[in-house]
Amino acid sequence: LSLYLSFKKVIKSNFKTSFMLLNGDNTNRFFHSQKRFEELGLNVNIMNGVLRDMKIDMPSKIQALSYNEILHGTTCIVADQTGSGKTLSYLMPLTQRITELQRNKTIPMGPSRTPYIVVVTPTTELAEQVGVVIRSMSSTMKFKSACITSLADVNAAQRKLRLGVDVVVATPGRLLQLLKKKELSLDRLQSIVFDEADVLFMDESFPLPPIGEACPDDCQFIFVTATLPDIVIDQIMAEFPETRELTGPGLHKISPFVEEELVDCSLEKRQIGSSKRVIDANKAKVLSKKVTSMLEAIQNTDSMRTLIFCNTIGQCRQVENALRRADK
């Protein structure tokens, strides 16, 4: 298979120009749906404070596509490009449903150690980002939440769980640790979200099977991703054949405000019977070519900040090491 190193370069402009550009009519048409939140099933009495505090007027296209499905408990894949509003696309309908069920006394308020919603993320950084959004929403909606990662005080997190939480966001290792210690139970879980499902499913080091097995049979599973490889779809569909695939219009497309350059870093065609030494040498050449191309792209781009996306944590470390060596 050909491997490609993709470089994304934001158009050159000062902050003021960028801000105006990203809030212009063209971006509204690209990002926002023409539907109103109320048409999607949003309960104004519950969610109006969230919309007001977050200064949201219109749903994004992925939010419009997924709101009603998630609100009604559909197990689904939510896929759209980075920055399309996927986090709120699942948090808003999920928290609305839990609030409605609590107000109708269909489910009890905040049982100890048994959350109604769990969000699983592959990294501490993403968990913290999701946690910030959840805390912002909870200040208006009055539900309880906890963010549990390697950076969190475990004892403080356990105390919070014992007092009762509605929503938990955690990395897989921490979540499994709490389950094994019986500090957390998924017996009453309504919904579990796997954010960046592509990363979670393609890295076998994440302990997903025991987490899935701990969920109730009627639990709603939501798989959120900015990329949708066939191998990930096949894995999900094999276990959850009724899964709805909700794909936003921006999936695998480049924003009109981003320039993309593709550099071919293909492996040399492997001959039948090639030795491991030859194969390893080819891989080393590809890695060297990727590093060289990456450094050239950074040096030739007039940008104060650069984001480099990798498929795995191991690749992130390789990139970090390459940048540190180049910076000496």
Side-chain angles (χ1 to χ4, degrees), residues 38-105:
E38 291 86 340
E39 298 176 65
L40 309 176
L42 179 137
N43 186 326
V44 177
N45 294 329
I46 294 175
M47 304 302 298
N48 201 42
V50 173
L51 298 180
R52 182 187 63 248
D53 291 350
M54 294 191 171
K55 296 179 173 59
I56 301 172
D57 297 318
M58 300 168 62
S60 71
K61 291 183 177 179
I62 190 62
Q63 290 164 4
L65 186 67
S66 61
Y67 201 103
N68 192 56
E69 296 281 359
I70 293 176
L71 182 64
H72 288 90
T74 304
T75 287
C76 55
I77 298 171
V78 178
D80 205 355
Q81 66 178 223
T82 300
S84 58
K86 293 189 298 298
T87 302
L88 283 177
S89 77
Y90 65 79
L91 283 180
M92 288 176 65
L94 289 181
T95 52
Q96 175 183 319
R97 186 171 79 227
I98 293 304
T99 304
E100 288 175 340
L101 291 173
Q102 288 178 335
R103 288 185 179 181
N104 295 334
K105 298 184 179 179

Side-chain angles (χ1 to χ4, degrees), residues 7 21 44 66 68 78 87 113 149-150 157 207 218 308:
F7 304 112
L21 187 67
V44 177
S66 61
N68 192 56
V78 178
T87 302
R113 299 188 180 93
T149 67
S150 59
D218 59 351
I308 301 173

Side-chain angles (χ1 to χ4, degrees), residues 65-255:
L65 186 67
S66 61
Y67 201 103
N68 192 56
E69 296 281 359
I70 293 176
L71 182 64
H72 288 90
T74 304
T75 287
C76 55
I77 298 171
V78 178
D80 205 355
Q81 66 178 223
T82 300
S84 58
K86 293 189 298 298
T87 302
L88 283 177
S89 77
Y90 65 79
L91 283 180
M92 288 176 65
L94 289 181
T95 52
Q96 175 183 319
R97 186 171 79 227
I98 293 304
T99 304
E100 288 175 340
L101 291 173
Q102 288 178 335
R103 288 185 179 181
N104 295 334
K105 298 184 179 179
T106 306
I107 56 176
M109 297 290 287
S112 176
R113 299 188 180 93
T114 54
Y116 298 120
I117 301 168
V118 167
V119 181
V120 183
T121 71
T123 65
T124 294
E125 291 77 14
L126 180 57
E128 294 290 339
Q129 290 173 27
V130 175
V132 168
V133 179
I134 292 173
R135 285 193 294 274
S136 177
M137 295 176 66
S138 66
S139 64
T140 300
M141 299 179 68
K142 308 303 179 186
F143 60 79
K144 299 177 181 178
S145 66
C147 182
I148 304 170
T149 67
S150 59
L151 297 180
D153 183 324
V154 177
N155 292 327
Q158 290 177 355
R159 286 195 297 271
K160 185 176 285 190
L161 290 173
R162 290 167 192 166
L163 291 173
V165 293
D166 302 303
V167 185
V168 168
V169 56
T171 47
R174 282 296 189 200
L175 186 61
L176 185 59
Q177 182 184 47
L178 291 169
L179 289 171
K180 287 181 175 178
K181 294 172 65 177
K182 300 192 183 301
E183 288 290 342
L184 183 71
S185 169
L186 304 185
D187 290 347
R188 299 192 188 187
L189 193 68
Q190 298 277 323
S191 307
I192 185 166
V193 180
F194 294 95
D195 204 335
E196 292 198 358
D198 52 335
V199 178
L200 289 167
F201 277 78
M202 295 180 72
D203 190 333
E204 295 181 357
S205 67
F206 291 114
L208 300 185
I211 294 173
E213 291 166 5
C215 297
D217 293 338
D218 59 351
C219 180
Q220 175 188 24
F221 282 73
I222 301 170
F223 308 94
V224 182
T225 179
T227 65
L228 199 54
D230 289 341
I231 188 172
V232 174
I233 297 177
D234 292 343
Q235 277 184 277
I236 293 172
M237 291 300 184
E239 190 165 353
F240 304 94
E242 302 301 319
T243 299
R244 287 288 307 277
E245 188 177 327
L246 307 175
T247 304
L251 182 67
H252 299 161
K253 294 180 181 178
I254 301 304
S255 165

Side-chain angles (χ1 to χ4, degrees), residues 1-7 202 261-269 279 282-291 293 311 315 318:
L1 295 176
S2 295
L3 302 176
Y4 289 93
L5 181 63
S6 172
F7 304 112
M202 295 180 72
E261 179 182 346
L262 298 177
V263 180
D264 188 354
C265 296
S266 306
L267 283 168
E268 294 178 14
K269 189 174 181 180
I279 295 171
N282 281 342
K283 289 182 179 179
K285 289 179 183 177
V286 170
L287 180 59
S288 176
K289 187 175 180 181
K290 282 187 175 183
V291 170
S293 299
N311 287 331
Q315 289 175 354
Q318 287 181 326

